[in-house]
């Protein structure tokens, strides 16, 4: 039996917790102003108090608009902190505009203002961190949870249930799945079959269920509409989960075209401002690395010339953004320069690899010329590794979603590489694992993920047991 009284107690006081969050945020904004003045040894007069009150007013209004004080139960801490810091940044910008327009900005100490602007987000982030810890402790004690039920047995309910059970910080408990269909028509899932849809309605009306996820198949439109209509006679929160989300969607999100909702299925994360951030990252880091490694580049070029006949650089056709063919540059590490319809991957003890080339390949130093590709705009520092055209044509017919790697520019290093999937892919399963990591990178891209991959590359990404 679930402890309904404990859950109900905290549901009754949920609004009080939200009010307390606002009070704590206001306190953080006020106290950090005092702290900034104390650190900088500036005596704060009435105008600083007025500024703090104005900041609080703007912040609380913007926070309400952005839904900062809504339930963050199903979202992680980083997302919540990013949201509240974003509101504070807009607040600071608004204060700056008001100060400029009223010509009062010069009346305030700049060092105090900068310190305050930095201290507030730190305080807000710490506040939410400890608030989450408090809620986790409550949920660990069997309190502050919500009971979840699924209407419709299938892969959608199965995947959502696995996600919920794996994220205990959400404070959600899965009661089971309800479905009217006979067992012979139901998908085999590990979820507990708790009854039919009438049993779901009865338990919802009795207050035994907090959240219902409607996971019936999309073609069951009439049943979905009828169920939602009946659930309107209860107090449960109802969410419809289209079963298209069972598939591996790229940045799946709801958009509108002429007021009509559409679902983005396959898309790139690098449109708009994200594309600009990604390009700036490539230019700045790429230029810096080329400048720092220029003596090494010359030494490698000399080493290639002295140890084997042939060109220093090796150019190979590969697929780039949108599947367009690009020329990727590498230091030559083999006695051949294959770039035809059939390209054999380097293998252990491959006789085509020169002695100096083996060293370059093991340490990934043969990839350094690709920073030129990055500055040209054909590649990115971080992204799915580009494969030879012949390999692309082979694997696109064998691995579902393979070409979705090319929704972004190929990279010198990537999420697959720092997780050990470098070098030879002598089995189809190995290539599938590499592609899985590539697609996960595209789905979950952020600037911080790029920085993490670059740092991991420096620490452990230059060598690999499967690199020949």
């Amino acid at each position: 039996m679930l402890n309904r009284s404990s859950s109900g107690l905290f549901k009754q006081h949920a609004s009080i917790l939200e009010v307390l969050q606002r009070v704590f945020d206001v306190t953080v904004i006020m106290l950090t102003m005092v702290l900034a003045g104390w650190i900088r040894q500036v005596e704060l007069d009435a105008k600083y108090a007025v500024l703090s009150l104005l900041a609080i007013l703007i912040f609380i209004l913007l926070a309400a608009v952005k839904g900062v004080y809504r339930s963050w139960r199903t979202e992680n801490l980083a997302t919540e902190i990013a949201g509240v810091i974003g509101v504070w940044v807009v607040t600071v910008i608004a204060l700056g505009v008001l100060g400029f327009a009223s010509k009062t900005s010069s009346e305030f100490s700049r060092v105090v203002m900068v310190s305050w602007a930095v201290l507030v987000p730190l305080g807000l982030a710490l506040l939410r961190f400890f608030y989450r810890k408090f809620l986790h402790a409550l949920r660990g004690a069997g309190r502050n949870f919500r009971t979840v039920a699924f209407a419709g047995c299938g892969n959608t309910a199965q995947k959502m249930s696995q996600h919920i059970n794996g994220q205990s910080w959400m404070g959600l408990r899965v009661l089971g799945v309800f479905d009217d269909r006979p067992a012979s028509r139901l998908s085999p899932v590990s979820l507990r079959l708790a009854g039919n849809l009438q049993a779901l309605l009865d338990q919802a009306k009795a207050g035994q269920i907090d959240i219902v996820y409607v996971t019936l198949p999309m073609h069951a439109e009439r049943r979905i509409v009828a169920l939602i209509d009946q659930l309107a006679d209860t107090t449960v929160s109802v969410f419809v989960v289209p079963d298209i989300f069972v598939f591996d969607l790229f940045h799946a999100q709801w958009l509108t075209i002429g007021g009509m909702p559409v679902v983005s299925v396959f898309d790139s994360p690098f449109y708009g401002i994200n594309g600009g951030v990604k390009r700036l990252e490539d230019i700045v880091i790429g230029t810096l690395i080329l400048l720092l490694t220029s003596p090494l580049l010359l030494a490698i070029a000399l080493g290639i010339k002295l140890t084997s006949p042939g060109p220093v650089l090796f150019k190979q056709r590969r697929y780039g953004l949108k599947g367009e063919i690009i020329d990727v540059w590498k230091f030559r590490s083999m006695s051949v320069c294959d770039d035809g319809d059939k390209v054999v991957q380097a293998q252990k003890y491959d006789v085509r690899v020169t002695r100096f080339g083996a060293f370059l390949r093991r340490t990934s130093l043969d990839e350094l010329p690709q920073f030129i590709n990055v500055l040209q705009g054909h590649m990115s520092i971080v992204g799915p590794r580009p494969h030879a055209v012949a390999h692309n044509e082979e694997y696109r017919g064998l691995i579902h979603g393979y070409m979705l790697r090319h929704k972004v520019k190929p990279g010198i290093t990537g999420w697959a590489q720092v997780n050990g999937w470098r070098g030879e892919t002598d089995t189809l399963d190995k290539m599938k694992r590499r592609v899985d990591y590539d697609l996960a990178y595209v789905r979950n891209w952020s600037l911080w993920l790029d920085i993490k991959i670059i740092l991991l590359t420096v620490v452990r990404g230059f060598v690999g047991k499967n690199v020949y």
Side-chain angles (χ1 to χ4, degrees):
M1 285 291 291
L2 295 174
N3 187 350
R4 297 300 305 167
S5 60
S6 297
S7 175
L9 173 65
F10 279 90
K11 281 194 291 184
Q12 292 169 13
H13 293 88
S15 59
I16 297 176
L17 292 176
E18 291 177 10
V19 171
L20 286 175
Q21 271 197 309
R22 288 177 169 85
V23 171
F24 288 145
D25 285 347
V26 168
T27 304
V28 165
I29 295 172
M30 295 290 289
L31 288 182
T32 49
M33 173 66 86
V34 175
L35 180 61
W38 179 77
I39 291 173
R40 298 300 182 178
Q41 296 184 341
V42 175
E43 187 176 348
L44 305 182
D45 54 22
K47 64 177 178 286
Y48 286 94
V50 173
L51 180 64
S52 298
L53 292 173
L54 182 59
I56 289 169
L57 177 62
I58 296 173
F59 179 85
I60 294 298
L61 289 174
L62 290 175
V65 172
K66 289 291 292 181
V68 165
Y69 298 112
R70 63 181 170 82
S71 172
W72 291 86
R73 181 183 292 269
T74 58
E75 298 185 59
N76 59 37
L77 177 62
T79 303
E80 181 180 3
I81 289 177
V84 73
I85 290 178
V87 171
W88 175 248
V89 169
V90 176
T91 301
V92 171
I93 294 173
L95 291 174
V97 172
L98 290 173
F100 177 79
S102 62
K103 299 181 180 180
T104 58
S105 57
S106 60
E107 299 177 13
F108 296 90
S109 167
R110 283 181 172 80
V111 291
V112 170
M113 291 297 96
V114 171
S115 299
W116 183 50
V118 172
L119 287 172
V120 168
L122 290 176
L124 294 175
L126 284 173
L127 179 64
R128 276 150 181 80
F129 173 78
F130 287 113
Y131 181 70
R132 288 274 183 133
K133 288 292 184 182
F134 169 69
L135 291 180
H136 290 181
L138 287 178
R139 290 161 187 167
R143 294 177 167 83
N144 191 240
F145 61 81
R146 301 289 184 271
T147 303
V148 172
F150 294 96
C153 185
N155 289 333
T156 307
Q158 175 80 11
K159 288 199 171 188
M160 287 194 67
S161 174
Q162 289 173 346
H163 178 72
I164 290 171
N165 290 331
Q167 308 291 333
S168 59
W169 53 266
M170 290 183 179
L172 300 178
R173 292 185 179 179
V174 177
L175 178 63
V177 62
F178 297 80
D179 205 304
D180 281 339
R181 292 171 292 177
S184 58
R185 291 182 54 199
L186 297 179
S187 303
V189 296
S190 59
L191 271 170
R192 170 178 172 265
L193 186 60
N196 57 23
L197 295 181
Q198 185 57 51
L200 170 68
L201 290 168
D202 292 340
Q203 293 187 40
K205 290 179 179 179
Q208 298 172 358
I209 299 173
D210 299 307
I211 301 171
V212 172
Y213 289 109
V214 180
T215 51
L216 289 164
M218 289 181 66
H219 58 76
E221 180 184 356
R222 290 184 180 178
R223 294 170 64 208
I224 293 172
V225 172
L227 177 62
I228 293 174
D229 184 57
Q230 291 172 301
L231 287 171
D233 190 34
T234 72
T235 59
V236 300
S237 299
V238 180
F239 300 88
V240 177
V241 187
D243 55 5
I244 58 170
F245 289 105
V246 172
F247 302 104
D248 294 326
L249 306 186
F250 265 45
H251 286 266
Q253 57 182 316
W254 287 103
L255 305 173
T256 58
I257 298 179
M260 298 181 64
V262 296
V263 179
S264 166
V265 179
F266 302 130
D267 203 357
S268 168
F270 298 132
Y271 289 126
I273 191 170
N274 285 349
V277 170
K278 181 73 166 172
R279 184 61 183 144
L280 182 62
E281 170 197 333
D282 287 338
I283 292 173
V284 172
I285 299 178
T287 302
L288 182 62
I289 291 177
L290 278 177
L291 289 174
L292 292 175
T293 60
S294 54
L296 179 60
L297 295 175
L298 292 174
I300 293 174
L302 181 61
I304 294 172
K305 269 299 182 184
L306 293 176
T307 56
S308 64
V312 169
L313 295 177
F314 164 51
K315 181 177 68 174
Q316 190 177 63
R317 294 175 305 124
R318 302 197 175 187
Y319 280 172
L321 182 65
K322 300 179 182 178
E324 297 176 355
I325 294 178
I326 61 173
D327 291 326
V328 173
W329 294 94
K330 299 179 69 172
F331 280 125
R332 182 178 58 82
S333 58
M334 289 186 172
S335 57
V336 297
C337 297
D338 291 342
D339 189 26
D341 294 333
K342 183 174 178 59
V343 177
V344 180
Q345 283 187 325
Q347 304 170 359
K348 197 171 186 178
Y349 308 121
D350 198 316
V351 296
R352 298 172 300 165
V353 179
T354 66
R355 293 182 64 182
F356 187 58
F359 165 73
L360 295 178
R361 297 177 74 90
R362 282 197 305 271
T363 57
S364 297
L365 292 174
D366 61 325
E367 312 283 358
L368 286 176
Q370 290 170 26
F371 283 101
I372 298 173
N373 290 114
V374 170
L375 295 185
Q376 289 175 330
H378 298 152
M379 291 182 63
S380 182
I381 293 175
V382 181
R385 285 291 299 150
H387 299 155
V389 170
H391 294 156
N392 271 323
E393 293 305 315
E394 175 186 358
Y395 288 115
R396 69 188 301 175
L398 299 174
I399 300 176
H400 176 70
Y402 177 88
M403 289 301 291
L404 293 175
R405 303 169 71 250
H406 300 290
K407 295 297 292 182
V408 301
K409 293 178 184 177
I412 297 175
T413 185
W415 189 230
Q417 283 63 47
V418 298
N419 280 282
W421 296 99
R422 298 183 65 234
E424 184 185 14
T425 49
D426 53 346
T427 66
L428 183 62
D429 183 64
K430 287 182 179 179
M431 181 59 82
K432 284 181 178 178
R433 292 299 302 274
R434 179 186 288 186
V435 171
D436 286 344
Y437 276 98
D438 289 339
L439 301 187
Y441 166 77
V442 181
R443 280 193 293 269
N444 301 295
W445 177 84
S446 70
L447 178 60
W448 307 118
L449 179 58
D450 272 5
I451 293 173
K452 177 180 179 180
I453 292 172
I454 292 171
L455 293 176
L456 287 174
T457 301
V458 173
V459 173
R460 67 190 187 198
F462 288 111
V463 295
K465 61 182 180 179
N466 298 320
V467 182
Y468 311 124

